[in-house]
Amino acid sequence: MELLSPRLKTALTMLAKCNCLADIGSDHGYLITSAVLSGLAKRGIAVEINELPYAQTTKTINQNQLSSLIDVRLGDGLSPIHKGEIDALCIAGMGGGTITGILERGVDQLASVTQLVLQPNVDAAQLRAHLLKYYVITDERLVADGDFIYQVIKAQPGQEACPYTKVELEYGRINIAQQSDLLKNVLCRDIAHWEKILDQIGSNHAERRKEISAWITQLKEVFA
Ligand SMILES: C[S@@+](CC[C@H](N)C(=O)[O-])C[C@H]1O[C@@H](n2cnc3c(N)ncnc32)[C@H](O)[C@@H]1O
């Protein structure tokens, strides 16, 4: 059974084999089910904060006869997980700010985690800035799914030697090094967005206009 969208398939592709994967915000339960079915994760813990997706995750896991290998827990972020229980973490389909909040509140549970695969729908720069305090970003992908291009980020414990620029925080150092067509699409879209805003801002906001013009220049330089 093909459970996964291109977005979630990409997230799983970036995950190395693990003993126990936690999927926070499991919703339908497809990611954790596929991870255990494929043997990528020996066991799993799905966490949901809402009753309806909690029930949906439970249903998917039962349909695939995986209830002995995957626990489903109701709660906020990493709080239903015990210290030392997991060695891998996926959080997909939420804003970068929400993912950052879950990581900040789950420091104890993260101590045993050797790989995090995160897919922020928005605010990737905020998430990267948080990650770089504790982790090295070891893999990044852009994936087209429906009308959107999503960022997927893999982080592992460590300390990045060279600080990220603002553009790298936004789009990813690895993504920028790869110079893909998807990155070009994202940048063209964002440049058009900022140029439109620049058109709308009156000449009495000189400082803001200067900031936006400088940002547009930086975006154009990514492909220079
Ligand atoms: C948009 S869905 C994404 C589902 C799935 N991860 C995916 O990428 O397709 C977000 C899910 O996260 C759950 N969620 C949001 N905040 C959460 C939190 N703090 N802890 C656990 N689950 C959360 C929501 O109930 C919802 O089911």
Side-chain angles (χ1 to χ4, degrees):
M1 180 183 13
E2 182 54 86
L3 292 173
L4 295 181
S5 61
R7 176 179 60 85
L8 291 179
K9 209 180 273 181
T10 300
L12 270 198
T13 305
M14 292 165 71
L15 194 76
K17 280 199 168 200
C18 58
N19 286 316
C20 188
L21 170 69
D23 178 20
I24 311 299
S26 54
D27 196 355
H28 32 65
Y30 295 161
L31 183 125
I32 196 83
T33 298
S34 297
V36 174
L37 268 183
S38 67
L40 199 54
K42 285 187 188 154
R43 288 172 290 113
I45 302 171
V47 177
E48 249 307 328
I49 201 165
N50 290 307
E51 296 275 0
L52 217 63
Y54 170 86
Q56 187 54 54
T57 297
T58 306
K59 188 173 162 196
T60 303
I61 288 165
N62 288 340
Q63 279 170 346
N64 287 278
Q65 284 142 26
L66 289 175
S67 58
S68 62
L69 293 177
I70 305 174
D71 263 11
V72 190
R73 300 181 189 170
L74 193 62
D76 172 24
L78 287 153
S79 61
I81 292 175
H82 306 297
K83 221 176 154 182
E85 232 183 346
I86 56 168
D87 62 348
L89 174 69
C90 268
I91 310 180
M94 298 184 206
T98 305
I99 297 175
T100 300
I102 290 171
L103 299 179
E104 280 174 340
R105 295 193 298 279
V107 173
D108 287 349
Q109 294 90 330
L110 285 171
S112 55
V113 171
T114 59
Q115 48 173 337
L116 297 82
V117 175
L118 308 168
Q119 182 268 301
N121 286 345
V122 291
D123 299 329
Q126 183 183 353
L127 176 60
R128 279 196 187 87
H130 173 76
L131 287 173
L132 290 167
K133 295 179 198 164
Y134 311 98
Y135 301 100
V136 179
I137 294 174
T138 53
D139 195 5
E140 283 174 333
R141 311 271 168 95
L142 292 169
V143 54
D145 193 337
D147 290 339
F148 295 95
I149 296 173
Y150 295 96
Q151 297 200 36
V152 193
I153 302 166
K154 178 171 182 175
Q156 296 181 268
Q159 184 63 55
E160 183 59 63
C162 191
Y164 271 48
T165 64
K166 192 171 172 228
V167 171
E168 286 174 331
L169 285 175
E170 194 68 53
Y171 300 99
R173 184 175 282 174
I174 296 171
N175 287 329
I176 290 171
Q178 285 170 351
Q179 299 273 299
S180 68
D181 287 343
L182 283 181
L183 180 65
K184 204 173 269 182
N185 289 352
V186 171
L187 283 164
C188 286
R189 180 201 67 194
D190 290 355
I191 289 167
H193 165 81
W194 286 111
E195 284 177 339
K196 196 170 162 196
I197 289 184
L198 199 58
D199 279 349
Q200 290 163 354
I201 293 181
S203 51
N204 48 336
H205 292 95
E207 204 47 47
R208 184 72 185 126
R209 288 185 65 84
K210 216 166 119 187
E211 276 170 23
I212 295 174
S213 295
W215 181 236
I216 292 171
T217 304
Q218 285 179 58
L219 297 189
K220 288 182 175 169
E221 280 169 2
V222 170
F223 267 93

